[in-house]
Amino acid sequence: MSTDTQASADIRPFHVDVPEEKLDELRQRIGATRWPSKELVGDRSQGVQRETLQTLARYWLDEYDSGRVEARLNALPQFVTEIDGADVHFIHVKSSHENALPLIMTHGWPGSVIELIDSVGPLTDPTAHGGGAEDAFHLVLPSLPGYGLSGEPVEIGWDLGRTAQAWAELMRRLRYTRYVAQGGDVGAGVTDAMSRQAPEGLIGIHTNLLVPALNGPMPTDTDEERASAAQIATFGKSGNGYFVEMATRPQTIGYALLDSPIALAAWMIDHDTDAYYKIASAFGGQPSGNLTRDHILDNITLYWLTGTGASAARSYWEAYGPDAPAASQQPLPATAIPFGFTTFPGEIWRTPRSWVEASYPNVIYFNAVDKGGHFAAWEEPELFSTEIRAAFRSLR
């Protein structure tokens, strides 16, 4: 990976350059994998199933075009800037449509900017995707510190709030004085923090994961609310092993993530049940929407080539770990910044509107759609983009 050194001091153009020897090493390590015996159950209750991972490994080794990551990223304008001691990589695509609204959109874990780039076209050029010119955005897609092409933090303290402050500074450097923000998963946490900090210029946010539901019990007065609470309880009982490990011992899992590409792949696809089975189906020849085996491996390959499995894991320690500095801080109160939310049926829990309205004082948009899951932007980029356009339409 390299940067253009003939650029300005504040924001420099960025170009991905992957040495062939790195790709050769990746293939060698995949081929040298030591496999455990098969799981003793017929489902994913013991973790990622061996057949799924071996199918992934064969495709990664024998058929996957390992140059895809470099080509897909370099097809978009990329930049890097140092903010608060960390190099922040970001994609910045300006719309050709007049009066486009600036939008900063944040990925999550185990994602990267890879999960968002298929939304670039629908958001910056909506007229080519069934929308109107008045719905266009100038799009900013930063890589979280420690993820992918951004630099690794060299000190503790890079929690959700500090990242939110960095994003506000990024938009200031880009000279955007009026903008909106969106995020899912970890990106929802950053976006929520931005709304609570209320930086100058931020006029609205949208998320597809309700952050306050992670921080304590929500109302359970209706059947819908009780069903959602039950989904969260199930996740906490049998689906959040990755969350607990990264929030408490990220360095421990980091050794495997940096040493074995198959360990990295297993860790990254062992997410919520809906996402896992969709990924497994993709490698069985039945992808769910845009969640194809090539797109899945683009994301995993980016983590491998940048060696950011451990540093990304540490972001959970920073945000949710009981020993992190953020653990002693009380969250800022919600502000009156306009808030929009979309609930996708395959998400870890399906959020009721009542929870959204109990969490944010100025809900301007809520919609429940009929397809998509935790990786909504990845799986259904056209639907996802339609939701973003609708959520912010009243703010133009």
Side-chain angles (χ1 to χ4, degrees):
M1 314 295 174
S2 65
T3 58
D4 184 344
T5 57
Q6 298 181 356
S8 69
D10 289 337
I11 297 177
R12 311 181 301 278
F14 188 92
H15 181 83
V16 180
D17 183 13
V18 181
E20 188 61 35
E21 54 265 29
K22 273 200 166 188
L23 300 176
D24 289 340
E25 182 199 18
L26 169 60
R27 289 186 281 264
Q28 291 168 2
R29 285 177 178 263
I30 295 171
T33 301
R34 292 179 63 192
W35 293 95
S37 57
K38 188 178 183 299
E39 64 279 357
L40 303 179
V41 293
D43 56 21
R44 57 89 51 118
S45 60
Q46 288 190 338
V48 175
Q49 293 158 292
R50 191 179 68 173
E51 181 179 355
T52 294
L53 204 56
Q54 287 182 329
T55 302
L56 180 154
R58 285 193 296 269
Y59 186 79
W60 203 1
L61 185 60
D62 299 331
E63 298 183 57
Y64 173 71
D65 177 4
S66 55
R68 280 175 50 92
V69 171
E70 180 177 333
R72 294 186 75 200
L73 289 170
N74 286 339
L76 297 167
Q78 300 173 85
F79 303 88
V80 66
T81 186
E82 183 181 324
I83 301 177
D84 197 11
D87 279 342
V88 173
H89 162 269
F90 63 100
I91 294 168
H92 184 201
V93 183
K94 301 198 75 172
S95 175
S96 62
H97 294 293
E98 191 176 359
N99 299 321
L101 180 63
L103 164 63
I104 184 167
M105 196 156 66
T106 311
H107 66 84
W109 185 92
S112 65
V113 291
I114 291 290
E115 71 178 279
L116 301 176
I117 60 177
D118 287 306
S119 299
V120 170
L123 290 172
T124 61
D125 187 14
T127 57
H129 297 267
E134 68 278 6
D135 286 332
F137 295 94
H138 298 311
L139 196 57
V140 180
L141 305 178
S143 297
L144 289 164
Y147 287 68
L149 297 164
S150 281
E152 292 189 16
V154 295
E155 61 182 3
I156 63 171
W158 271 96
D159 55 20
L160 299 172
R162 186 169 174 178
T163 304
Q165 292 172 343
W167 279 195
E169 171 61 17
L170 174 59
M171 297 304 274
R172 187 195 66 79
R173 290 187 189 182
L174 293 172
R175 300 183 180 178
Y176 288 135
T177 58
R178 185 176 184 270
Y179 64 92
V180 292
Q182 198 283 330
D185 192 80
V186 174
V190 173
T191 304
D192 171 82
M194 290 182 74
S195 75
R196 294 170 189 274
Q197 293 169 0
E200 184 177 359
L202 180 66
I203 63 168
I205 72 165
H206 174 276
T207 73
N208 48 286
L209 186 100
L210 191 70
V211 174
L214 292 171
N215 298 329
M218 302 297 289
T220 53
D221 299 323
T222 67
D223 288 344
E224 184 183 23
E225 290 174 344
R226 285 188 286 272
S228 298
Q231 288 179 309
I232 295 176
T234 297
F235 175 70
K237 181 179 180 181
S238 61
N240 69 340
Y242 72 92
F243 188 106
V244 173
E245 179 70 15
M246 294 197 298
T248 57
R249 296 293 185 270
Q251 190 71 13
T252 301
I253 190 60
Y255 297 108
L257 304 183
L258 271 290
D259 187 63
S260 166
I262 297 304
L264 176 67
W267 191 249
M268 291 176 68
I269 70 174
D270 191 12
H271 203 271
D272 64 286
T273 299
D274 177 76
Y276 169 75
Y277 280 123
K278 285 173 177 174
I279 291 170
S281 294
F283 285 95
Q286 296 181 314
S288 176
N290 207 43
L291 202 61
T292 67
R293 56 189 182 178
D294 280 335
H295 288 157
I296 294 162
L297 284 174
D298 288 345
N299 186 55
I300 297 171
T301 301
L302 178 62
Y303 270 71
W304 177 261
L305 293 175
T306 57
T308 50
S311 54
R314 290 187 204 117
S315 74
Y316 271 62
W317 183 91
E318 292 281 10
Y320 310 110
D323 299 318
S328 61
Q329 300 170 6
Q330 291 296 318
L332 295 171
T335 68
I337 285 179
F339 179 82
F341 190 85
T342 301
T343 182
F344 292 86
E347 184 54 272
I348 299 172
W349 70 89
R350 187 148 190 170
T351 298
R353 181 173 188 136
S354 59
W355 284 8
V356 176
E357 292 177 340
S359 302
Y360 297 94
N362 189 11
V363 178
I364 61 166
Y365 182 83
F366 178 89
N367 194 30
V369 296
D370 60 2
K371 58 182 177 179
H374 187 74
F375 299 105
W378 213 352
E379 184 183 352
E380 300 289 346
E382 294 283 352
L383 173 61
F384 178 80
S385 300
T386 298
E387 284 298 299
I388 303 306
R389 296 197 296 260
F392 294 125
R393 192 164 291 143
S394 66
L395 300 179
R396 296 202 177 248

